[in-house]
Amino acid sequence: MTEEFYTGFTAISVLGLIGGGLRFAWKQLTGRIDKRGAELDAREKAFEEMRDSRIRVLEAEVARMGDRLQQVMDTVGRQRTAIHLLVSKIARDEPGAPELAHVQVLLGEEFPGILREAREAGVPPYTFTETAEPSEQEA
């Protein structure tokens, strides 16, 4: 009977050791998996923060470029109006001026039709206001 007891006790001890070894191995494995998961989460968070900061920088740059583009468009609009006014005045005062022919060569197809109409009618194409609205006579 004692042999059976020792045999059973030995079997239980061996199974306990195997179970303990499996438990240790399982904890090591899951610990590594958890540690790796935490590392990956930290790397992902750092990447997202970096990406978000780059997006904010790019959005600010796009907004700055949009503002600059609007300024340039406003400047070009004012310059175009000034050119129309000056060419219109020359067209009224000296219809055969060589400057008009030169402007027409430079602008080509873009030579404003409004200036040809001003030359024919003798009406200035714009009033002299800041908004450069078409004159009432032309409208």
Side-chain angles (χ1 to χ4, degrees), residues 104-113 116:
Q104 189 169 13
V105 168
L106 288 175
L107 296 179
E109 293 293 321
E110 296 178 16
F111 190 70
R116 279 178 274 193

Side-chain angles (χ1 to χ4, degrees), residues 24-73:
F24 176 78
W26 180 255
K27 283 191 174 191
Q28 290 296 317
L29 180 65
T30 57
R32 285 184 190 154
I33 291 173
D34 291 343
K35 198 183 296 183
R36 179 70 176 152
E39 289 173 6
L40 289 175
D41 288 343
R43 286 176 59 190
E44 181 182 9
K45 184 177 179 184
F47 175 76
E48 287 176 354
E49 289 173 358
M50 182 179 62
R51 182 198 63 205
D52 291 344
S53 69
R54 285 181 179 176
I55 288 173
R56 283 190 295 275
V57 167
L58 288 173
E59 286 174 344
E61 182 69 15
V62 167
R64 187 189 64 76
M65 290 172 76
D67 293 343
R68 180 66 182 135
L69 178 64
Q70 187 61 43
Q71 289 173 350
V72 168
M73 289 174 56

Side-chain angles (χ1 to χ4, degrees), residues 117-130:
E117 293 172 8
R119 187 183 306 141
E120 293 169 0
V123 175
Y126 293 100
T127 59
F128 292 97
T129 64
E130 288 187 24

